[in-house]
Amino acid sequence: NAGVTQTPKFQVLKTGQSMTLQCAQDMNHEYMSWYRQDPGMGLRLIHYSVGAGITDQGEVPNGYNVSRSTTEDFPLRLLSAAPSQTSVYFCASSYSVRGWAGYTFGSGTRLTVV
Amino acid sequence: TQLLEQSPQFLSIQEGENLTVYCNSSSVFSSLQWYRQEPGEGPVLLVTVVTGGEVKKLKRLTFQFGDARKDSSLHITAAQPGDTGLYLCALNSGNTPLVFGKGTRLSVIA
């Protein structure tokens, strides 16, 4: 059982480039979300989805886009990368947004923007 | 915005010592979760507490939920190097995503 799979694991971008961080889960979870983790800042919510076709903004959504066309996949798009987006990105999923059974996290994507 | 404070921010102890880390909220919450994150990995759920005054044990880890449902503590007995990691608490206050604290970074030295 794969759980939550994130790709790539590492990425270096130049300022202004675009890219998509991939997230897939095989647990039939309705809820999926993206967090970024920076030193001293904890996990901050970027965007989340409570089901296919439904997305909403979190605490730090600027510069990021998401869509949810299937239950399994929730990609995160950086339209024009900036050095401030250098961070470790985590995708998480759960049966519900309240996460009674806990959130299952991927192993992260470490992004550096130069 | 509900604030979630964790203390201490950093903790370095010798193997075999006991320790307690804390998680405090600015308001009442319906449930709280504790996660452990190891370097290079995502957080992994340790426990969920939902009832005021609740105590849960997971081997050498003891989790307590405050009576007023505004705070929680994690106590580790006889810490081992394998306990090293970032301990995060996360609260749920309704039909919204979990809010995470900034974590306590624990280092257990052999």
Side-chain angles (χ1 to χ4, degrees):
Chain A
N1 52 343
V4 177
T5 302
Q6 289 186 238
T7 56
K9 199 161 181 65
F10 301 94
Q11 183 71 50
V12 179
L13 289 179
K14 293 183 179 179
T15 297
Q17 286 185 320
S18 63
M19 80 159 294
T20 299
L21 280 63
Q22 302 291 343
C23 175
Q25 53 91 9
D26 62 357
M27 298 169 285
N28 202 30
H29 284 170
E30 288 296 324
Y31 173 77
M32 296 185 74
S33 55
W34 279 100
Y35 289 86
R36 59 177 290 173
Q37 187 174 40
D38 304 290
M41 300 296 292
L43 285 165
R44 292 184 292 169
L45 183 65
I46 304 172
H47 286 285
Y48 66 98
S49 168
V50 297
I54 306 169
T55 63
D56 207 345
Q57 296 182 349
E59 179 186 357
V60 288
N62 292 339
Y64 308 95
N65 277 358
V66 292
S67 60
R68 183 98 179 268
S69 57
T70 67
T71 299
E72 294 77 21
D73 300 297
F74 191 43
L76 179 71
R77 298 182 187 84
L78 283 71
L79 301 178
S80 179
S84 62
Q85 293 178 305
T86 293
S87 186
V88 182
Y89 292 85
F90 288 98
C91 179
S93 73
S94 179
Y95 287 108
S96 74
V97 64
R98 301 188 68 164
W100 288 113
Y103 285 4
T104 301
F105 284 83
S107 57
T109 293
R110 185 174 295 274
L111 175 67
T112 302
V113 182
V114 297
Chain B
T1 301
Q2 196 162 38
L3 295 178
L4 196 57
E5 299 289 335
Q6 289 192 245
S7 61
Q9 189 176 359
F10 300 97
L11 189 56
S12 181
I13 62 171
Q14 296 290 323
E15 181 177 3
E17 292 183 349
N18 301 332
L19 67 113
T20 302
V21 299
Y22 301 92
C23 177
N24 294 283
S25 171
S26 57
S27 57
V28 175
F29 44 84
S30 58
S31 68
L32 185 138
Q33 296 177 349
W34 284 94
Y35 290 78
R36 178 168 64 208
Q37 184 179 16
E38 298 184 7
E41 297 296 328
V44 175
L45 177 70
L46 294 173
V47 74
T48 300
V49 285
V50 299
T51 305
E54 182 176 5
V55 177
K56 282 192 173 180
K57 293 192 175 183
L58 185 65
K59 296 184 180 178
R60 294 176 294 100
L61 279 60
T62 302
F63 304 86
Q64 187 156 6
F65 201 12
D67 291 339
R69 306 168 68 87
K70 295 179 67 174
D71 60 276
S72 181
S73 64
L74 160 58
H75 181 81
I76 300 179
T77 303
Q80 299 177 359
D83 296 325
T84 293
L86 178 67
Y87 288 81
L88 297 160
C89 64
L91 67 84
N92 175 271
S93 59
N95 206 29
T96 56
L98 293 178
V99 174
F100 285 84
K102 295 181 180 180
T104 293
R105 190 166 298 278
L106 172 65
S107 176
V108 181
I109 303 166

